[in-house]
Amino acid sequence: MQSRRKLRFRLVLSFALFGFGLSALFAVASLYVRAKVEDQLVNASLQNDVDQAVDNAIYHPDQDFHSELIEGWVKSDRTLYKMPLAWQNLGSGVHDIYETDTKGRARHYKLAVRRKDGIIGFTRYDISREDLGKRQLITALIAVVVMFSLLSLAIGLWLSRKVLKPVTQLAQRIRDFRKAGKAEPLSQHFADDEVGELARALDDYSARLTAMVERDREFNSDVSHELRTPLAVIASTTELLQGSPDLTPKLAERLKRIERASRQATELIEALLLLSRAERRGPTRGETTEVAKVAADVIESQRPQVRGKPIEIELAAREPLSVNAPASVLSVALTNLIGNAIKYTLEGTVRVEVGAGRIEVIDTGPGIKPEDAEKLFQRGVRGEGAGGSGAGLGLAIVRRLCELYGWQVAMRPRSDANGAIASIVFG
């Protein structure tokens, strides 16, 4: 899973990195400029001194070369013994010499050499003190980099808190709306800036969403009223016709099918309306429903789907099981699962088992692929095989109903034979 950083963390990190990078760049530039200038000045000074010493040796041979900061020699009969032999082959110019003194300490020298008219001049300057100063400067610059980085971090923390405060307030007001259950205008609480523009956009979205919810609520109310009335008429008329004395057995069976279809439609409407309301307000509880009883009613209502196929439908209630949910919700869920099992099974058995906190529908149909089991609960996805038809909405509705009441619905292939197992585990 990809890690997501908070906006405030990114702002603070940006300030800290900017401060560190800027101060580090300044430190590197300072060291470079100091080394460059110092090297040029020292080299120019040493070269000038050795040139003067050689000129003095040529034009004033009786004068000694003397300096308080540097050591100098001119190659002549009286001073030749003072110079190391390694210097004899050096050309004119300034050279870096690294030696170890009598105490074993490493020394760094700048050695200026001048060859003129058969005379060689040497000027040596010990720059170990400058190396020490350079190390001290590096230490000071590191301290400055650390100090400026910490200062940038502190400024980033302060600015992020101040800049994001309106965003935090906006998020808090939206959370308060969730608790209150009613949205209020947001833009009036914020300045005319980017956050205010976001607040106005949220106000516009909230108004459109509220209007859509109101239309949905009115539609549900109208559908509930307009559909229940004709279904009630169908149910009452069917009941009156079933009491007719001259009713033939074939006509009685057809009226029974009409009665079952009317009851299923009523239960489906109740479940869908309940789902629509509950997804906004939470599930309705308090009604206890026996799972085995609802399963038996659903099996009887689905028997006409057999249509002469060699299928046996069995119900095995191993132990009593009740759920805290309306019967219409459980009936709609089981109607889809049991109906699909009957529809896709050409021969064999459809077995419904109740117990151990779950209900399973086991069939001997063509089965499903393990990788396709989860896809069947997506909206618009239909199963493949014999009898496959419909819009692919049944199992999607079952998944929504089960999620609403905390149940777990699943589909998997059988391991012992062809077929599939649909199960609902009640929470």
Side-chain angles (χ1 to χ4, degrees):
M1 176 178 168
Q2 187 176 3
S3 174
R4 293 183 295 180
R5 304 288 186 181
K6 287 187 176 181
L7 179 58
R8 182 179 178 186
F9 175 81
R10 295 199 298 268
L11 287 175
V12 173
L13 183 62
S14 299
F15 268 94
L17 291 178
F18 176 76
F20 172 78
L22 191 62
S23 57
L25 182 63
F26 171 76
V28 172
S30 299
L31 289 173
Y32 175 78
V33 171
R34 178 187 183 277
K36 197 74 173 177
V37 171
E38 179 184 76
D39 191 64
Q40 291 177 353
L41 291 176
V42 171
N43 290 351
S45 177
L46 287 175
Q47 192 65 57
N48 183 61
D49 287 345
V50 76
D51 289 346
Q52 290 181 3
V54 170
D55 290 341
N56 285 336
I58 294 174
Y59 301 110
H60 306 284
D62 296 334
Q63 294 181 1
D64 293 332
F65 178 78
H66 175 71
S67 176
E68 295 181 355
L69 297 177
I70 60 177
E71 299 176 279
W73 298 269
V74 177
K75 183 178 179 182
S76 62
D77 293 339
R78 62 185 176 82
T79 59
L80 183 61
Y81 69 93
K82 293 183 179 181
M83 296 178 293
L85 294 177
W87 297 3
Q88 302 297 315
N89 297 324
L90 295 176
S92 297
V94 181
H95 305 272
D96 288 293
I97 303 297
Y98 298 91
E99 296 179 350
T100 303
D101 59 13
T102 56
K103 297 182 179 180
R105 294 176 300 182
R107 309 297 293 183
H108 181 198
Y109 300 98
K110 287 283 188 179
L111 180 66
V113 181
R114 175 65 172 172
R115 296 175 179 269
K116 184 178 181 182
D117 297 338
I119 297 177
I120 305 176
F122 298 91
T123 303
R124 186 177 69 174
Y125 176 57
D126 187 357
I127 64 171
S128 299
R129 290 173 298 177
E130 278 67 20
D131 290 341
L132 177 61
K134 185 184 294 185
R135 290 193 295 270
Q136 292 175 345
L137 177 62
I138 292 175
T139 303
L141 289 176
I142 291 175
V144 169
V145 170
V146 173
M147 182 182 67
F148 271 94
S149 299
L150 294 177
L151 181 61
S152 301
L153 182 62
I155 294 175
L157 287 171
W158 179 76
L159 282 180
S160 65
R161 187 181 297 109
K162 193 166 185 63
V163 170
L164 295 179
K165 184 177 180 180
V167 179
T168 305
Q169 291 177 347
L170 179 62
Q172 183 60 45
R173 287 187 176 275
I174 294 176
R175 283 193 291 268
D176 293 341
F177 293 164
R178 185 188 305 172
K179 297 177 182 178
K182 183 178 67 173
E184 297 179 358
L186 294 169
S187 57
Q188 61 186 3
H189 301 286
F190 298 93
D192 189 14
D193 53 10
E194 288 78 4
V195 179
E197 184 177 355
L198 176 60
R200 289 191 294 272
L202 288 174
D203 286 341
D204 180 64
Y205 176 75
S206 176
R208 289 188 285 112
L209 186 62
T210 301
M212 183 177 65
V213 171
E214 288 296 330
R215 289 195 300 269
D216 179 66
R217 185 180 295 115
E218 292 174 359
F219 173 77
N220 290 336
S221 178
D222 294 341
V223 167
S224 175
H225 179 269
E226 296 299 330
L227 291 182
R228 284 180 177 178
T229 300
L231 287 174
V233 172
I234 293 174
S236 60
T237 304
T238 304
E239 184 178 356
L240 291 174
L241 289 175
Q242 287 177 338
S244 178
D246 56 348
L247 191 64
T248 63
K250 188 173 184 180
L251 186 58
E253 179 61 27
R254 291 178 178 176
L255 288 175
K256 195 69 175 178
R257 292 179 58 185
I258 294 175
E259 180 186 12
R260 286 196 297 264
S262 173
R263 186 172 66 252
Q264 289 177 3
T266 302
E267 291 175 346
L268 180 60
I269 291 172
E270 291 180 356
L272 292 178
L273 292 176
L274 177 65
L275 182 63
S276 176
R277 290 193 299 265
E279 286 180 335
R280 297 192 303 266
R281 306 174 185 175
T284 301
R285 300 186 184 274
E287 182 179 347
T288 301
T289 302
E290 294 183 9
V291 177
K293 183 178 183 302
V294 175
D297 293 339
V298 170
I299 289 174
E300 291 302 318
S301 67
Q302 295 297 312
R303 286 192 184 277
Q305 283 200 67
V306 176
R307 296 175 183 174
K309 294 189 293 185
I311 299 176
E312 293 184 4
I313 305 177
E314 304 173 357
L315 174 62
R318 298 178 177 176
E319 59 183 54
L321 178 61
S322 300
V323 294
N324 191 8
S328 58
V329 173
L330 184 60
S331 177
V332 170
L334 294 182
T335 297
N336 279 278
L337 298 183
I338 297 175
N340 283 342
I342 296 174
K343 180 170 60 176
Y344 285 96
T345 302
L346 295 178
E347 60 179 355
T349 60
V350 174
R351 181 177 176 84
V352 181
E353 297 183 356
V354 180
R358 66 172 61 204
I359 182 171
E360 291 186 341
V361 181
I362 308 170
D363 63 58
T364 57
I368 58 174
K369 298 178 181 178
E371 60 270 18
D372 295 336
E374 185 64 24
K375 296 179 182 178
L376 294 176
F377 293 97
Q378 298 177 6
R379 187 179 180 87
V381 177
R382 295 185 304 170
E384 298 179 357
S389 62
L393 300 178
L395 291 180
I397 295 174
V398 173
R399 167 64 64 85
R400 290 174 59 192
L401 289 172
C402 291
E403 288 178 349
L404 181 64
Y405 283 89
W407 304 339
Q408 296 179 3
V409 60
M411 187 85 68
R412 68 182 188 274
R414 293 183 61 173
S415 59
D416 56 343
N418 290 334
I421 302 176
S423 63
I424 298 179
V425 180
F426 303 102

